């Protein structure tokens, strides 16, 4: 456990000057040193000790220390907390995760348990014990998990200052602000508003937040059952939210529940808190297209981040397209995509993105009966052409997806046709990382050819995959990666995926002599999971979610 303990300490506090008390895990200092910590300094900023060695005298030896990592030894969490709270410490906000909250609710101390010096006179959720304080931290943790990178966040209601400390430590927000009574905010200035038991008329507040949010912003709003100004029921809340928002999910807390639980949208009884998560409606954003700036990628000069130039309504991007940030409710996402696919300008990036969303939903659901309609729509989109880099992105992506859908319904010749389009289109005008679709298309075209016993064609397609990979590797990556504030953090991982996919095409070519001897032996030399690994992972995740729901219902 020493290695895991050292990793946990550095994960929460970073490499720094650390003092490990003599009786504490003899080998821990060495493991911390290997992780970049200075364990020899005379003025440590972090102290690691066992709970049974904790004392006022020990703490007095480290006046410069601002954080503690405690290894609990048969001590209840409340006992450890109260001793440190009384001595002027509070919980470390960055260490307040769902597993930790669940442990604390059972009066179990996490190992390690993390604390920081509290500001003078501080009294709040971070140095309070009991289920009410833990439940409040659970609500702010729920909000932290839904902050998107770069978001400008506004926190409203009692406890917002503690919420700010937690969000700043646990979320990649661009900024976190606390709403002050009487403060005036410019409209359309925030990406996320979190409002918990805010005084005043709840319906008026919901309307006000819609004006403060950008068109791709989100609202997390909650009310306690003890609040006389709360919504009367879910139906009235849902109706009011529906005037401005796309209602994604409902969370509730019941007595004894520390971490808010996701429940189907509808009336729930016996609860102490109700929390709604909703997305601002992005439709109609064409008029404010010029003001769109992606909070995380706005400083990038790369064409792939030029959403305001590439989309008629760029506010759709984070709500409908971006993985990890778009609508979490599958039905809402599909409904939005259907609307955009039918009403967006034909041949626009908006329409291409919507068709891709619909196509992947059909692929995941194995809804073969819908495939012919989609393939016709993809064909129409392809025929329209277009020089925009973002339109080019969706041309390549839809051609690859069309191949997958055609394979789903057994139309192998049509699939090979679409794969050829994807592998030979101009992926470079959008981004090097779009080469994943072109390489994947070449690989799948080769697979079809091998299944048809046309080995010469198969090897040519594998060669095409290697050729695309080398073209991608030779590009000027600094121009796309960016630098300083404009650096795109996802670029290099996706470039690595381009190289890895190409390596599987090379593996196939290097082992082609095995094909005639034993096809199974040949394919075992090639990592086919590298193709569509994201979709495969998503399928597994959704299957796990379905199983969990079944278990919960049982």
């Amino acid at each position: 456990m020493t290695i895991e303990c050292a990793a946990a300490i550095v994960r929460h506090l970073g490499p720094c000057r650390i003092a490990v008390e003599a009786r504490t895990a003899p080998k821990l200092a060495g493991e911390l040193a290997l992780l970049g910590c200075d364990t020899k300094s005379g003025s440590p900023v972090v102290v690691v000790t066992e709970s049974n060695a904790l004392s006022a005298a020990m703490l007095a030896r480290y006046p410069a220390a601002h954080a503690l990592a405690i290894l609990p030894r048969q001590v209840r969490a409340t006992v450890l907390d109260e001793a440190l709270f009384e001595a002027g410490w509070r919980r470390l906000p960055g260490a307040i995760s769902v597993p930790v909250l669940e442990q604390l609710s059972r009066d179990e101390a996490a190992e390690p348990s993390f604390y920081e010096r509290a500001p003078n006179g501080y009294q709040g959720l971070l140095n309070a014990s009991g289920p009410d304080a833990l439940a409040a931290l659970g609500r702010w943790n729920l909000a932290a998990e839904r902050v998107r990178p770069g978001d400008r966040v506004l926190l409203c209601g009692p406890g917002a200052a503690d919420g700010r400390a937690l969000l700043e430590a646990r979320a990649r927000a661009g900024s976190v602000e606390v709403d002050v009574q009487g403060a005036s905010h410019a409209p359309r200035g925030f990406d996320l508003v979190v409002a918990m038991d805010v005084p005043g008329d709840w319906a008026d507040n919901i309307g006000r937040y819609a004006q403060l949010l950008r068109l791709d912003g989100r609202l997390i709003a909650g009310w306690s059952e003890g609040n006389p100004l709360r919504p009367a029921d879910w139906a009235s809340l849902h109706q009011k939210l529906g005037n401005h928002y796309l209602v994604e999910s409902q969370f509730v807390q019941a007595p004894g529940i520390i971490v808010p639980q996701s429940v189907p949208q509808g009336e729930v009884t016996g609860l102490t808190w109700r929390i709604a998560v909703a997305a601002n409606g992005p439709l109609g954003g064409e008029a404010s297209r010029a003001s769109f700036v992606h909070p995380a990628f706005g400083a990038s000069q790369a064409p792939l981040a030029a959403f305001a130039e590439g989309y008629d309504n760029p506010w759709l991007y984070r709500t409908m397209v971006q993985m990890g940030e778009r609508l979490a409710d599958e039905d809402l996402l599909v409904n939005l995509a259907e609307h955009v696919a039918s009403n967006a300008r034909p041949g626009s990036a908006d329409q291409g993105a919507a068709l891709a969303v619909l196509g992947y939903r059909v692929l995941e659901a194995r809804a073969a009966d819908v495939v012919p309609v989609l393939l016709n729509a993809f064909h129409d989109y392809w025929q329209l052409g277009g020089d925009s880099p973002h339109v080019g992105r969706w041309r390549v992506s839809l051609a690859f997806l069309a191949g997958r859908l055609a394979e789903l319904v057994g139309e192998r010749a049509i699939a090979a046709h679409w794969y050829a389009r994807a592998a030979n289109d101009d992926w470079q005008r959008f981004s090097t990382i779009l080469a994943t679709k072109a390489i994947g298309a070449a690989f799948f075209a080769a697979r079809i050819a091998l299944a048809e016993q046309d080995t010469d064609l198969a090897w040519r397609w594998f060669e095409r995959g290697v050729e695309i990979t080398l073209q991608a590797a030779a590009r000027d990556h600094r121009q796309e990666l960016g630098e300083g504030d404009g650096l795109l953090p996802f670029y290099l991982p996706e470039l690595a995926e381009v190289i890895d996919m190409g390596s599987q095409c090379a593996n196939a070519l290097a082992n082609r002599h095995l094909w005639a001897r034993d096809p199974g032996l040949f394919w075992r030399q090639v990592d086919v999971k590298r193709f569509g690994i994201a979709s495969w992972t998503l399928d597994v995740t959704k299957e796990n979610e379905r199983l969990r729901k079944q278990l919960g219902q049982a």
Side-chain angles (χ1 to χ4, degrees):
M1 292 297 291
T2 302
I3 295 175
E4 291 86 346
C5 181
I9 291 170
V10 172
R11 184 167 62 250
H12 288 297
L13 300 169
C16 55
R17 301 194 308 274
I18 292 183
V20 180
E21 279 288 289
R23 291 190 296 170
T24 302
K27 296 182 179 180
L28 182 58
E31 295 298 334
L32 288 167
L34 286 171
L35 294 176
C37 295
D38 176 4
T39 60
K40 302 293 185 181
S41 172
S43 57
V45 296
V46 174
V47 177
V48 183
T49 185
E50 293 182 346
S51 57
N52 55 11
L54 189 64
S55 67
M58 186 277 288
L59 292 174
R61 294 201 299 271
Y62 304 104
H66 64 72
L68 296 173
I70 308 296
L71 306 182
R73 293 293 181 263
Q74 297 180 335
V75 61
R76 290 187 293 117
T78 50
V79 173
L80 182 60
D81 283 347
E82 288 168 6
L84 285 165
F85 295 164
E86 187 175 346
W89 298 79
R90 70 181 189 180
R91 294 189 183 94
L92 184 73
I96 299 173
S97 62
V98 167
V100 167
L101 288 170
E102 290 175 339
Q103 281 184 279
L104 292 174
S105 70
R106 299 189 298 267
D107 206 10
E108 299 172 2
E111 186 168 351
S113 293
F114 294 95
Y115 300 85
E116 66 179 9
R117 287 194 187 275
N120 289 335
Y122 172 82
Q123 289 293 322
L125 297 175
L126 296 171
N127 66 356
S129 297
D132 289 345
L134 294 178
L137 290 174
R139 292 189 290 275
W140 290 114
N141 193 74
L142 172 73
E145 291 177 342
R146 280 151 184 78
V147 175
R148 297 170 292 182
D151 274 356
R152 184 185 178 201
V153 183
L154 180 67
L155 306 183
C156 312
D162 288 317
R164 178 179 183 177
L166 197 149
L167 265 68
E168 287 184 333
R170 291 192 53 78
R172 293 167 55 194
S175 64
V176 183
E177 304 169 36
V178 173
D179 195 26
V180 179
Q181 187 174 7
S184 177
H185 303 288
R188 305 294 185 212
F190 294 94
D191 302 288
L192 174 66
V193 171
V194 184
M196 298 292 180
D197 250 355
V198 176
D201 183 86
W202 67 269
D204 289 345
N205 285 334
I206 282 176
R208 181 171 74 92
Y209 301 143
Q211 297 305 309
L212 294 178
L213 284 167
R214 297 188 174 104
L215 291 179
D216 56 1
R218 273 197 174 97
L219 170 68
I220 302 174
W223 296 268
S224 66
E225 286 300 289
N227 182 350
L229 300 177
R230 73 186 186 281
D233 49 39
W234 174 255
S236 57
L237 173 58
H238 192 281
Q239 182 179 10
K240 181 63 179 178
L241 285 169
N243 294 335
H244 305 281
Y245 306 90
L246 304 173
V247 186
E248 292 187 76
S249 52
Q250 177 184 207
F251 292 81
V252 299
Q253 283 180 305
I257 300 298
I258 302 302
V259 178
Q261 304 295 303
S262 175
V263 296
Q265 296 181 31
E267 199 52 48
V268 180
T269 59
L271 52 82
T272 56
W273 272 81
R274 185 197 307 276
I275 303 167
V277 179
N280 215 8
L283 297 177
E286 292 84 354
S288 56
R289 170 186 183 181
S291 65
F292 177 85
V293 176
H294 194 294
F297 311 141
S300 172
Q301 300 300 310
L304 80 167
F307 303 106
E309 292 80 9
Y311 289 79
D312 293 348
N313 180 5
W315 304 99
L316 290 168
Y317 186 77
R318 289 207 300 165
T319 307
M320 186 179 73
V321 180
Q322 189 166 345
M323 297 290 286
E325 298 194 7
R326 64 190 183 188
L327 292 169
D329 184 283
E330 288 292 324
D331 292 337
L332 274 182
L333 181 63
V334 168
N335 290 340
L336 176 62
E338 287 177 340
H339 178 89
V340 175
S342 300
N343 294 281
R345 178 173 57 85
S348 64
D350 311 50
Q351 187 186 51
L355 289 172
V357 169
L358 294 174
Y360 276 106
R361 297 293 82 73
V362 168
L363 185 61
E364 290 164 12
R366 305 295 192 257
D369 56 321
V370 187
V371 169
V373 176
L374 271 179
L375 290 182
N376 287 334
F378 289 7
H379 174 76
D380 292 344
Y381 187 83
W382 178 274
Q383 292 296 106
L384 288 170
D387 296 328
S388 160
H390 285 269
V391 171
R393 174 216 177 147
W394 295 117
R395 279 172 55 90
V396 175
S397 296
L398 289 176
F400 173 80
L401 177 55
R404 301 292 289 144
L405 291 170
E407 282 195 283
L408 173 65
V409 295
E411 297 289 351
R412 298 166 63 77
I414 295 175
H417 172 73
W418 278 108
Y419 286 143
R421 282 181 164 181
N424 292 315
D425 203 355
D426 184 10
W427 49 268
Q428 300 185 60
R429 61 176 163 163
F430 176 70
S431 171
T432 301
I433 60 180
L434 184 59
T436 54
K437 292 293 186 288
I439 299 166
F443 184 93
F444 287 143
R447 187 186 61 186
I448 290 174
L450 281 180
E452 300 295 334
Q453 302 301 312
D454 190 344
T455 54
D456 289 341
L457 179 59
W459 308 139
R460 289 198 298 273
W461 275 122
F462 284 129
E463 288 280 9
R464 177 61 179 152
V466 172
E467 178 186 9
I468 296 169
T469 305
L470 295 177
Q471 289 175 343
R475 298 264 287 175
D476 179 3
H477 300 295
R478 174 55 72 179
Q479 182 178 3
E480 289 195 68
L481 173 64
E483 54 189 349
D485 292 339
L487 192 144
L488 297 176
F490 61 82
Y491 181 82
L492 288 177
E494 295 202 25
L495 178 62
E497 186 177 352
V498 169
I499 303 299
D500 194 26
M501 292 174 70
S503 74
Q504 304 313 315
C505 293
N507 280 348
L509 291 168
N511 290 283
R512 72 183 83 180
H513 61 284
L514 299 176
W515 172 256
R517 183 198 308 174
D518 189 311
L521 178 61
F522 166 83
W523 281 116
R524 287 195 295 275
Q525 313 312 307
V526 182
D527 188 354
V528 294
K529 285 185 179 178
R530 296 296 181 185
F531 297 85
I533 187 68
S535 297
W536 177 83
T537 303
L538 186 62
D539 289 343
V540 171
T541 300
K542 290 187 174 181
E543 181 63 23
N544 287 338
E545 288 176 356
R546 284 192 288 269
L547 290 172
R548 280 195 293 269
K549 287 181 180 178
Q550 290 173 6
L551 289 172
Q553 291 168 356

